[in-house]
């Protein structure tokens, strides 16, 4: 299958599959122009050549007097500082003489089968080379010898393109890369809204939408991680785009560190997007012959609304980014002891929880914080990954044996990137701490950051974790990070390389995860950062699921899970039933509501099973069986958002199997009213020609009826309600 073509006569690159086309032009002076990204076109006949118009104060190419052609107005694929393009540049390089000017011009191209990896970075992949093709366009600056490779991979069956850039120092001088974006894309005649996913700890990934106005908007993190506060994703959408109609362009960065999405509307109402590593405090030293690789970014296109864009992301992330052997396996239903016991436990106190879990049909017990060092609160022992003998006098392997003997899998919580002052590791290696010389480091949650950019630090943690993973016979690991970066300084780097520390830290964490996941391929790893503080596509490369939020309240989770689904597949999103009053909000939500919302992700429990009423225990047994019956559909089916929790009193979404023979609908309502309006819910994604039976009522509906007519939502006189419907096609 030919996915990429180059017309030598026209200088046109055409990337295409059955869903999308992407067009690039080599313009006069070797500038690379962006022509089109959108719905597939069979052929291109040159009509998108940018009109030549004399624009005041938009200068021209060196050595020419054609006032109608300017780098400042041309829609570009990649621009640099210092070349009379006054819009946001994609690359900035400081040279030995202090200049930052580059004039990157087209040099060559290469088309290759398959998808290359990006050494040291997470990136999409294919199983067979016929699943994708990759275009590499090389731009060069003839004065400095600096070259940039632009990589474009188009997948055969998805409306997605993967882009990245690589800068190579082909000069004989040392240079400093102060910015290298993963992507630049310019749009003409587009009146966009921008959608982003801001939030906070325990309040992550709220869908926010606003107009793209003149000037520049930035959607960024400076925290050293992708963060709770601004997810590394945006979408540019038409004004009338909603879940089921209109154009949507989605951009998801495959990276877990500082990021920046810069959206600029210029003097001609053209829109430029530049996205990649945040250039705040970033400077990467390159001696002659060295190179720097920017992270990958995924571009998804939909002409039928946000749901189609989301499904393109879901399928690509699941099929082409998640590597774990568990990616296609149903995930176990777990109970985590954290909200049950916090730090106050020992082996004997935990065993009754395990016994109850067995009786209720739960499939895995996860031991959270407090099992190591001498940790009875969060003031000590991080960095000492050895069992706390007072809590486990016979070793953690003894307790793991007990869990396994009850027929449950055993999981363990770790926080490998952190250290406590009150720890053996800090006492033995105070230099492992990330801190600025002469300044006292800043605590957060009374813990500090290890410099994961240093090999000896990673090796120490790796050796400890390997030993305890084997001793504990773990089936699952929850990898946490409960603070952001500060005191950013690397003691092993000279002053002119301190701008590398943020990125080097993330590369070090990736290396540690690469080593551990390779050493333990049979462990299911779950990411966590105080909940959803590193919920990004980069993390998915190493860990197939992520704890979506420390907020387990079922009402708050509707907004969190709704926003998360804009980019990330449900199989990545873990969600648990917790006790009431909820520990984060104090809200008292019915048990079946908590179950319906948690069962809309990778399901589990976060409470003390021994303190539940018998009625609630019986309901857990029902929920476990209910989820087991729909687990594959929820975790791997097509997901459709139907009603947004931020736009009214109700939330609704549904899951549909690939063969369209089964569907699950979840509806929820926050408040009840004395005289409620009547509301209806319509499903999406069904086969209009099939008939579906409600598994509870046994009533039969046509797929076209469920999608076009829908049905009335129940009138309830209780706050915080939810209902789950299960439909199966009949012959």
């Amino acid at each position: 299958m030919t996915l990429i073509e180059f017309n030598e006569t026209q200088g046109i690159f055409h990337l295409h599959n059955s869903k999308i086309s992407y067009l690039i032009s080599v313009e006069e002076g070797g500038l690379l122009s962006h022509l089109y990204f959108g719905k597939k076109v069979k052929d291109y006949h040159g009509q998108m050549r940018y009109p030549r118009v004399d624009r005041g104060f938009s200068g021209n190419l060196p050595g020419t007097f054609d006032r109608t052609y300017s780098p400042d107005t041309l829609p570009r694929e990649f621009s640099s500082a210092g070349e009379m393009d006054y819009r946001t540049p994609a690359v900035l390089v400081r040279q030995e003489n202090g200049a930052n000017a580059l004039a990157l011009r087209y040099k060559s191209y290469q088309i290759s089968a398959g998808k290359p990896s990006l050494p040291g970075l997470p990136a999409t992949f294919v199983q067979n080379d016929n699943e994708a093709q990759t275009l590499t366009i090389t731009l060069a600056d003839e004065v400095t010898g600096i070259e940039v490779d632009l990589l474009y991979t188009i997948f055969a069956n998805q409306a997605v393109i993967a882009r990245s850039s690589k800068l190579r120092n082909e000069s004989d001088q040392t240079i400093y890369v102060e910015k290298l974006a993963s992507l630049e894309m310019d749009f003409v005649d587009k009146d966009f809204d921008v959608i982003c996913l801001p939030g906070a700890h325990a309040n992550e990934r709220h869908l926010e939408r606003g107009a793209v106005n003149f000037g520049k908007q930035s959607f960024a993190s400076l925290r050293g991680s992708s963060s709770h506060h601004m997810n590394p994703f945006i979408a540019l959408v038409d004004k009338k785009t909603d879940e089921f109609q209109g154009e949507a362009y989605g951009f998801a960065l495959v990276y877990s560190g500082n990021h920046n999405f810069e959206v600029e509307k210029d003097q001609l109402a053209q829109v430029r997007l530049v996205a990649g590593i945040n250039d705040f405090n970033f400077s990467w030293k390159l001696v002659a012959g060295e190179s720097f690789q920017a992270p990958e970014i995924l571009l998804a296109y939909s002409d039928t609304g946000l749901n189609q864009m989301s499904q393109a992301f879901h399928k690509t992330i699941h099929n082409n980014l998640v590597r774990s052997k568990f990616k296609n396996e149903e995930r176990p239903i777990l109970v985590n002891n954290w909200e049950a016991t916090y730090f106050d436990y020992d082996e004997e106190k935990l065993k009754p929880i395990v016994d109850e879990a067995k009786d209720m049909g739960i499939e895995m017990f996860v031991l959270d914080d407090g099992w190591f060092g001498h940790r009875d609160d969060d003031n000590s022992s991080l960095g000492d990954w050895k069992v706390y003998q007072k809590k486990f006098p016979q070793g953690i392997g003894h307790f793991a044996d007990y869990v396994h003997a009850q027929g449950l899998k055993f999981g363990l919580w770790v926080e490998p990137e952190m250290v406590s002052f009150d720890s053996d590791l800090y006492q033995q290696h105070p230099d492992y701490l990330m801190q600025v010389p002469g300044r006292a480091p800043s605590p957060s949650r009374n813990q500090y950051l290890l410099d994961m950019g240093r090999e000896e630090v990673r090796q120490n943690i790796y050796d400890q974790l390997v030993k305890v993973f084997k001793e504990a016979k773990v089936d699952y690991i929850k990898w946490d990070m409960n603070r952001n970066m500060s005191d950013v300084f690397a003691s092993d780097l000279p002053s002119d390389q301190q701008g590398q520390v943020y990125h080097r830290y993330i590369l070090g964490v990736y290396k540690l995860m690469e080593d551990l996941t390779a050493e333990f391929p049979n462990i299911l790893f779950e990411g966590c950062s105080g909940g959803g503080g590193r919920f990004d596509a980069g993390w998915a490369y190493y860990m197939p699921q992520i704890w979506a939020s420390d907020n387990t309240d079922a009402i708050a989770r509707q907004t969190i899970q709704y926003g998360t689904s804009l980019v990330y597949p449900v199989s990545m999103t873990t969600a648990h039933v917790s006790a009431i009053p909820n520990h984060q909000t104090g809200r008292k939500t019915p048990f079946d509501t908590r179950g319906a919302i948690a069962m809309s992700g990778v399901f589990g429990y976060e409470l003390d099973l021994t303190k539940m009423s018998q009625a609630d225990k019986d309901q857990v047994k029902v929920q476990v069986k209910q989820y087991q019956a729909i687990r594959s559909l929820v975790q791997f089916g097509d997901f459709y958002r139907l009603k947004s929790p931020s736009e009214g009193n109700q939330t609704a979404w549904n899951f549909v199997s690939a063969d369209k023979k089964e569907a699950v609908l979840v509806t929820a309502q926050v408040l009840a009213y004395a005289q409620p309006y009547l509301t209806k819910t319509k499903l999406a994604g069904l086969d209009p020609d099939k008939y579906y039976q409600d598994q509870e009522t046994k009533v039969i509906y046509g797929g076209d009826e469920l999608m076009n007519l829908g049905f009335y939502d129940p009138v309830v006189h209780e706050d915080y309600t939810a209902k789950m419907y299960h439909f199966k096609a009949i012959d």
Side-chain angles (χ1 to χ4, degrees), residues 30-314:
L31 297 182
L32 210 60
S33 172
H34 177 73
L35 298 181
Y36 176 76
F37 176 41
K39 194 171 182 178
K40 174 184 169 59
V41 295
K42 295 189 296 293
D43 299 296
Y44 170 67
H45 292 89
Q47 67 270 32
M48 295 308 298
R49 183 177 186 271
Y50 193 66
R52 273 38 180 172
V53 180
D54 186 355
R55 302 291 191 180
F57 289 87
S58 291
N60 315 118
L61 294 180
T64 73
F65 296 97
D66 179 3
R67 298 184 181 185
T68 68
Y69 180 62
S70 175
D72 187 44
T73 62
L74 184 73
R76 307 282 298 277
E77 282 293 321
F78 211 74
S79 65
S80 57
E83 58 170 339
M84 203 163 277
D85 184 342
Y86 296 101
R87 297 166 291 181
T88 302
V91 60
L92 192 155
V93 177
R94 190 72 57 185
Q95 295 137 44
E96 280 191 350
N97 63 3
N100 66 4
L102 287 180
L104 293 169
R105 301 296 183 256
Y106 173 76
K107 179 182 178 181
S108 62
Y109 79 95
Q110 180 180 352
I111 298 173
S112 55
K115 171 65 173 61
S117 61
L118 302 183
L121 285 166
T124 51
F125 60 88
V126 292
Q127 298 294 336
N128 300 296
D129 282 349
N130 62 3
E131 297 174 22
Q133 284 185 340
T134 298
L135 168 66
T136 302
I137 298 177
T138 298
L139 308 177
D141 178 69
E142 65 177 16
V143 174
T144 64
I146 293 170
E147 296 188 356
V148 173
D149 294 331
L150 304 181
L151 283 76
Y152 304 77
T153 296
I154 182 166
F155 300 91
N157 299 312
Q158 292 300 336
V160 171
I161 288 175
R163 282 190 59 178
S164 66
S165 62
K166 180 179 182 179
L167 189 145
R168 292 180 284 110
N169 183 7
E170 301 294 343
S171 74
D172 58 0
Q173 301 178 352
T174 296
I175 62 174
Y176 294 85
V177 182
E178 297 182 351
K179 180 178 185 179
L180 182 65
S182 300
L183 162 142
E184 176 183 312
M185 184 174 290
D186 289 353
F187 296 88
V188 179
D189 192 27
K190 285 290 189 181
D191 187 17
F192 279 134
D193 283 349
V194 59
I195 294 174
C196 62
L197 296 175
H201 173 242
N203 194 29
E204 297 89 343
R205 291 176 301 287
H206 287 224
L207 192 156
E208 182 174 277
R209 180 170 179 166
V212 174
N213 297 315
F214 285 96
K216 186 190 297 185
Q217 298 167 268
S218 176
F219 306 89
S221 172
L222 299 177
R223 295 173 174 268
S225 71
S226 50
S227 83
H228 305 82
H229 307 83
M230 186 61 69
N231 197 260
F233 159 84
I234 68 165
L236 297 174
V237 302
D238 289 343
K239 295 294 185 182
K240 295 183 179 180
T241 295
D242 59 22
E243 291 289 0
F244 295 100
Q245 66 178 356
E247 284 194 308
Y249 302 84
F251 306 89
L253 190 64
V254 186
Y255 188 62
S256 309
N258 285 348
H259 60 83
N260 196 4
F261 290 70
E262 300 170 281
V263 180
E264 181 179 11
K265 190 172 186 178
D266 71 10
Q267 72 275 17
L268 302 177
Q270 300 175 149
V271 175
R272 169 169 290 181
L273 169 63
V274 174
I277 295 175
N278 198 314
D279 58 352
F280 167 77
N281 201 20
F282 175 83
S283 177
W284 199 274
K285 180 180 179 180
L286 289 183
V287 301
E290 290 185 337
S291 63
F292 180 82
Q293 174 67 56
E296 188 165 278
I297 187 167
L298 302 179
L299 294 60
Y301 171 77
S302 167
D303 64 332
T304 55
L306 294 172
N307 266 300
Q308 186 187 75
M309 179 201 73
S310 297
Q311 289 181 17
F313 277 128
H314 294 177

Side-chain angles (χ1 to χ4, degrees), residues 599-612:
M599 279 191 273
S600 297
V602 178
F603 183 54
Y605 292 88
E606 197 92 14
L607 39 70
D608 190 342
L609 301 176
T610 66
K611 294 180 180 178
M612 299 173 69

Side-chain angles (χ1 to χ4, degrees), residues 438-458:
R439 297 183 182 274
S442 302
S444 180
R445 199 173 176 257
N446 204 9
Q447 62 190 55
Y448 302 86
L449 202 67
L450 293 171
D451 186 352
M452 302 305 291
R454 294 173 57 183
E455 183 178 358
E456 64 271 29
V457 177
R458 296 195 302 272

Side-chain angles (χ1 to χ4, degrees), residues 339-547:
E339 290 192 12
T341 65
Y342 294 101
F343 293 103
D344 183 20
Y345 65 81
D346 58 21
E347 182 171 350
E348 293 308 311
K349 188 173 182 178
L350 294 173
K351 284 181 177 178
I353 300 177
V354 176
D355 295 343
E356 291 284 3
K358 174 186 178 181
D359 183 61
M360 296 178 192
I362 293 171
E363 299 159 344
M364 181 162 68
F365 175 85
V366 176
L367 178 61
D368 212 280
D369 196 357
W371 58 266
F372 53 93
H374 55 278
R375 191 165 168 91
D376 291 315
D377 53 36
D378 57 12
N379 297 318
S380 78
S381 302
L382 289 170
D384 294 345
W385 301 108
K386 52 191 176 185
V387 68
Y388 191 180
Q389 291 296 321
K390 185 179 79 171
K391 294 183 178 181
F392 299 96
Q394 299 181 73
I396 200 166
H398 181 266
F399 178 60
D401 287 341
Y402 182 84
V403 174
H404 287 141
Q406 309 313 306
L408 277 68
K409 296 180 183 298
F410 178 63
L412 202 62
W413 176 97
V414 295
E415 194 172 4
E417 301 158 65
M418 301 297 154
V419 66
S420 305
F421 276 0
D422 182 8
S423 68
D424 292 341
L425 182 65
Y426 179 74
Q427 297 304 316
Q428 296 165 10
H429 298 285
D431 60 306
Y432 283 7
L433 191 72
M434 186 172 283
Q435 60 182 323
V436 179
R439 297 183 182 274
S442 302
S444 180
R445 199 173 176 257
N446 204 9
Q447 62 190 55
Y448 302 86
L449 202 67
L450 293 171
D451 186 352
M452 302 305 291
R454 294 173 57 183
E455 183 178 358
E456 64 271 29
V457 177
R458 296 195 302 272
Q459 189 64 50
N460 183 295
I461 299 302
Y462 174 84
D463 291 341
Q464 290 192 64
L465 292 177
V466 166
K467 184 176 180 180
V468 76
F469 289 0
K470 291 180 178 178
E471 176 190 350
K473 307 163 189 174
V474 293
D475 304 293
Y476 159 102
I477 288 294
K478 181 179 178 182
W479 182 304
D480 213 338
M481 181 201 189
N482 282 306
R483 62 159 293 164
N484 291 138
M485 291 178 69
S486 66
D487 313 291
V488 178
F489 186 90
S491 61
D492 63 330
L493 291 181
S495 60
D496 65 349
Q497 291 180 257
Q498 291 300 320
Q500 300 178 186
V501 178
Y502 276 114
H503 183 56
R504 196 179 76 142
Y505 178 92
I506 292 297
L507 293 180
V509 174
Y510 286 157
K511 180 64 168 65
L512 180 58
M513 291 194 299
E514 181 74 36
D515 292 344
L516 286 168
T517 55
E519 177 69 22
F520 297 98
N522 295 319
I523 290 178
L524 172 59
F525 284 84
E526 176 173 321
C528 179
S529 179
R534 266 194 317 210
F535 203 117
D536 57 72
W539 215 253
Y541 187 70
Y542 304 95
M543 301 187 182
Q545 60 189 51
I546 303 174
W547 181 225

Side-chain angles (χ1 to χ4, degrees), residues 326-346:
F326 297 96
K327 65 187 293 180
N328 295 315
E329 294 185 14
E330 294 181 4
R331 314 291 165 74
I333 301 169
L334 65 82
V335 61
N336 185 300
N337 75 298
W338 179 243
E339 290 192 12
T341 65
Y342 294 101
F343 293 103
D344 183 20
Y345 65 81
D346 58 21

